[in-house]
Each structure stands twice: as structure tokens, then as C-alpha cells.
Amino acid sequence: MSLKEILPGRLGFGTAPLGNMFRAIPEEEATATVEAAWDQGVRYYDTAPFYGAGLSEQRLGKVISTKPRDAYVLSTKVGRVILDELEEGARDLGEKGGIFEHGNPNKIVHEWTAEATERSIEDSLRRLGTDRLDIVWVHDIAQDFHG
């Protein structure tokens, strides 16, 4: 099955800004944004643990977990695990170091092992408040993050 066959429309919602990308977004604004997208017919949502150290998934999940699960397509990413441990000091994220400085303060670990992939997916399901993902992408394996 191709992506074209499973995506419910031509427009999807990339949720990086819900993770406080570049600026702190109030909780009410994040919720209203997802609700507005839903009301306009958006049914594909893409997120990632990296977006605000889980904040984007939490905020998206707050809204879409109230919607019928078969009514939308959901994707997230693997390659990072968000720990309960809080980060001390500035994060080293390569060229994109400051893009989520206003996100959750949890430590982010880059790891692509089978165990880390499974943990990342399980954690994403919990943050999103859903029982399944439709698409899982491998995130940021490029030089701009890892040299």
C-alpha cells in the first residue's frame, strides 16, 4: 500500500510548532490550533518525540485522543528517546540547537537500536493517547545533526 492510498487528503498537519518550536506557545493556543485543523478537515497529523522533548505529542494527543481513531492518519518518528531525567545545561543538537529551547526539559537520547525504537514507539503511543500509529519515520539521520 502506498502513502497516497492511506493519506486522507492532500494536506497534513506537521506538529513541530506544538513543541514550542522557536517560541513558547500557550497551551490554549496549541489546543485551539489542533481543533481548528480538525474542523477544517485535516486528517493527517505528523509529530515526533523530538518536537519539544515530547511536548508536541502530548499536545496533539490531548485533542486527537478524543476523536474516532479510524478517522485520521497519525505518524511519528523514531531515533530519539525522551527520558524522565531532566536536561542540565544547553542541548547539543548540532546546527538546530535552539529550535526547541522552550520545550520540555527532559533529556533526549539519540538511539536507533531495536530496543530504543520499541521504547520510542511505546512512549509515543502513551503521549498521544492512542493504541496505534499508522506511519513511523526514522528521524534526523542526516549530517546536520551528527556531523
Side-chain angles (χ1 to χ4, degrees):
M1 184 175 289
S2 71
L3 282 179
K4 185 176 180 180
E5 293 171 306
I6 63 171
L7 293 180
R10 294 179 180 258
L11 185 64
F13 183 166
T15 65
L18 297 181
N20 286 346
M21 184 177 190
F22 299 117
R23 69 179 181 96
I25 297 171
E27 192 69 29
E28 301 78 27
E29 182 180 335
T31 299
T33 301
V34 178
E35 288 286 4
W38 183 271
D39 291 346
Q40 292 300 310
V42 174
R43 295 297 183 267
Y44 172 48
Y45 299 88
D46 177 66
T47 191
F50 176 58
Y51 303 159
L55 183 60
S56 172
E57 289 181 326
Q58 292 166 340
R59 287 175 161 177
L60 177 62
K62 178 180 174 184
V63 177
I64 64 166
S65 66
T66 68
K67 310 298 183 191
R69 183 56 187 91
D70 289 336
Y72 60 89
V73 174
L74 180 60
S75 65
T76 193
K77 301 171 184 75
V78 296
R80 294 185 177 87
V81 176
I82 309 304
L83 304 179
D84 292 333
E85 177 184 346
L86 300 183
E87 188 78 46
E88 294 183 25
R91 290 187 171 129
D92 181 14
L93 299 175
E95 294 176 13
K96 299 179 183 179
I99 61 175
F100 291 107
E101 67 182 311
H102 303 289
N104 288 335
N106 299 67
K107 187 173 184 178
I108 300 170
V109 176
H110 299 258
E111 191 174 338
W112 293 271
T113 64
E115 294 81 14
T117 298
E118 288 176 13
R119 178 174 177 192
S120 182
I121 289 170
E122 289 169 7
D123 290 349
S124 290
L125 290 169
R126 180 182 43 76
R127 285 188 292 268
L128 289 161
T130 188
D131 63 344
R132 73 178 191 274
L133 301 166
D134 299 297
I135 303 167
V136 176
W137 304 103
V138 177
H139 204 198
D140 292 327
I141 56 175
Q143 280 186 311
D144 62 340
F145 270 91
H146 308 286

